[in-house]
Structures are given as C-alpha cells and as structure tokens.
Amino acid sequence: MTAPGDGAQRQKTAAPDAVLERLVHERSPEALIAAASHARLTEDLALALLNRRDLPAKALEALHKNGALVKHKKVRLAIVTHPRTPRHISIPIIRHLYPFELMQVALFPAVAADVKRMAEESIIGKLKLISSGERYTLAKQSSGRIAAALLLDPEERIMLAALDNPQMTEMSIAKALRAQQETELLVSAVCNHRNWCRRLEVKSALLINKYTPPARIVQVAVELPVSVIKEILYSPQLQAKVKDYLKSVVGKRTASVQSRG
C-alpha cells in the first residue's frame, strides 16, 4: 500500500530533473551555465547542451569541471570538437583521447586548425604503439597529415591504403619519397599508381630516390622539363650515376633546342 506522502515525494524528487531539462534548452547564458555545472546533469543532457553552437565558453568550462560527466567518451569528444571550447580546456583533453577519437577531432570541420594539428601530432607520436588493424583504418580514413606519416609504414597494405587516402596530397608523397628512410615499397607503389605517377613533384622525387628503377629514371627524365631536371641536379641525395645520366639528358636536349633555333 502506498503511503499518502509518497506521490508528493516522487514529484519533489523528479522536479529538479525536469527543471534541468528546461535549463538545457534556455537561451539565457546564465541558465546554460547553471545546467552545465549541475551535479545531476546526465550524459544525454550534456550532449544536448554540446549540440548547441551558441553554448557560451563559461558553460563549456563548467561542463569540463563537472567531473562525472567528463568521464564519458562522447562528452569529452563533444567538448573538444565544439567551436567555442577554449584552448586551455580542449588541449589537455586531447592528451587523453584514443586514436580514433583523435582522428575524429582532426577531421571535424569546426575544430580550430591548431587543435586539429595537436590531435594529428598526438596520433603520429603513438603510431608505433597502435595495432596493425588500427593503423590500416587510420591510413584509409584519417586526415592527410596522418596518412602521410603512414606512407612509410613497414606494412605494404597500410602504405597502399595511405596512398589512396582521399586527403593525400602530391606534396606529402614527394616528401615521403625524399625521406632518408626505407622507401622501396613506396617507390614501387607510386611508380605503378594510376594517378600519382603522373604528378610533377612526385616524378622529381622519384629521380632522387635510390630505389627508383633505372627504366623509370629514363622515362621520368624524358617527361620532365629541362628546367626541373637542372634543379634536381643540385640535390645532395641524388645518386652519382643518376646525376651523370641527367646531366647527359640536359646536354642533349639543350643542344637539340639550339640546333633547331
């Protein structure tokens, strides 16, 4: 049997939650700050708050200080990716995010460039500790900067996935080809790639790389302008035999132009 006062007691207990839900949808900054700092704020209500682009910075600070809530992964990630989150809040949180959460931060359009960069650097610094399967997923889906770091991964499937990443750039591939590391797998993949093998910067980097096959050197030297080959001749990484060959190419093509003139 229910005691006479039980219904009233339940209403009193439920009332604060109902008030809190109303606060989450208020326009007043004071109401939003009060909701963010409330001890009974749930994960769902916190996420509802964080969906608001007009959420003031003080409300975001209050959420960050609301200890129990920050333990939820979704809440932490939503705080970092919110466009109004102050740097002194988002940057410390980044240090505790998992690789795939960091990947989301790096890809989220509204995140500030310096925060994205820190997320990328955090992932790149952890690549040796990340499993093969996770690195493969990162190679396929991450930002261009992370994918560029995976161009030098020792596993061929990961390197190939990075090469086909939609965010990959010609400059990143050229930089990887010029790296003083083992790039034999990358050279082979780039030479046979349907798109990257045609790019000017990539071709230039292939001439410098010690793993580029002689037949490809000959082909690239024919395709590149003389002015570009002359610049490549100054590279300290250029192999002696390749340098001699390129000098002969420049000489022949220059003489041919002069003879026609």
Side-chain angles (χ1 to χ4, degrees):
M1 186 172 178
T2 304
D6 283 356
Q9 184 61 42
R10 281 197 299 272
Q11 287 180 356
K12 287 180 182 178
T13 304
D17 292 340
V19 171
L20 190 54
E21 189 167 356
R22 285 198 298 274
L23 286 175
V24 167
H25 300 288
E26 287 282 349
R27 292 185 179 181
S28 160
E30 292 76 17
L32 296 174
I33 294 166
S37 58
H38 202 288
R40 296 185 62 169
L41 189 67
T42 64
E43 180 184 9
D44 288 342
L45 288 176
L47 292 172
L49 263 179
L50 289 161
N51 277 331
R52 296 185 57 155
R53 301 295 91 178
D54 62 342
L55 197 62
K58 287 187 177 180
L60 287 154
E61 290 180 359
L63 277 170
H64 181 239
K65 292 176 183 177
N66 202 333
L69 283 171
V70 182
K71 293 178 182 178
H72 294 287
K73 293 180 183 179
K74 290 181 180 179
V75 173
R76 284 202 309 265
L77 186 59
I79 290 174
V80 172
T81 55
H82 196 283
R84 291 192 171 188
T85 301
R87 302 295 191 278
H88 70 272
I89 291 175
S90 57
I91 289 175
I93 293 176
I94 281 176
R95 299 190 183 103
H96 301 286
L97 295 179
Y98 293 103
F100 289 109
E101 293 173 329
L102 291 167
M103 183 180 76
Q104 290 179 61
V105 173
L107 292 173
F108 201 80
V111 174
D114 59 332
V115 176
K116 285 186 180 185
R117 188 171 184 84
M118 184 166 184
E120 291 171 335
E121 288 175 354
S122 184
I123 291 178
I124 292 169
K126 296 174 182 177
L127 284 177
K128 290 182 179 179
L129 304 175
I130 297 173
S131 71
S132 171
E134 288 178 321
R135 295 200 316 279
Y136 181 67
T137 302
L138 287 170
K140 290 194 300 181
Q141 301 177 8
S142 66
S143 67
R145 192 160 177 263
I146 297 166
L150 289 165
L151 286 172
L152 299 175
D153 195 278
E155 287 192 42
E156 186 174 16
R157 71 184 187 117
I158 293 173
M159 177 273 295
L160 290 172
L163 204 58
D164 285 330
N165 183 297
Q167 308 293 327
M168 184 55 65
T169 65
E170 178 181 1
M171 293 301 295
S172 293
I173 295 171
K175 182 179 179 181
L177 288 168
R178 292 189 179 99
Q180 298 293 329
Q181 297 184 38
E182 295 301 312
T183 54
E184 192 169 5
L185 288 175
L186 179 61
V187 167
S188 177
V190 170
C191 285
N192 294 291
H193 198 276
R194 61 193 179 280
N195 295 323
W196 297 123
C197 67
R198 303 171 184 167
R199 303 297 183 89
L200 180 64
E201 286 292 333
V202 173
K203 287 179 181 178
S204 300
L206 283 172
L207 287 182
I208 294 169
N209 194 290
K210 64 181 180 181
Y211 293 111
T212 303
R216 180 62 70 172
I217 294 286
V218 172
Q219 181 182 353
V220 170
V222 170
E223 295 169 349
L224 287 178
V226 169
S227 59
V228 174
I229 297 176
K230 286 181 177 179
E231 289 179 10
I232 293 169
L233 287 172
Y234 289 103
S235 172
Q237 293 175 256
L238 195 61
Q239 302 291 299
K241 289 182 179 179
V242 176
K243 189 171 187 176
D244 291 341
Y245 173 70
L246 293 179
K247 282 182 177 179
S248 70
V249 169
V250 170
K252 288 176 182 178
R253 288 171 65 178
T254 302
S256 175
V257 171
Q258 289 173 347
S259 67
R260 289 199 301 270

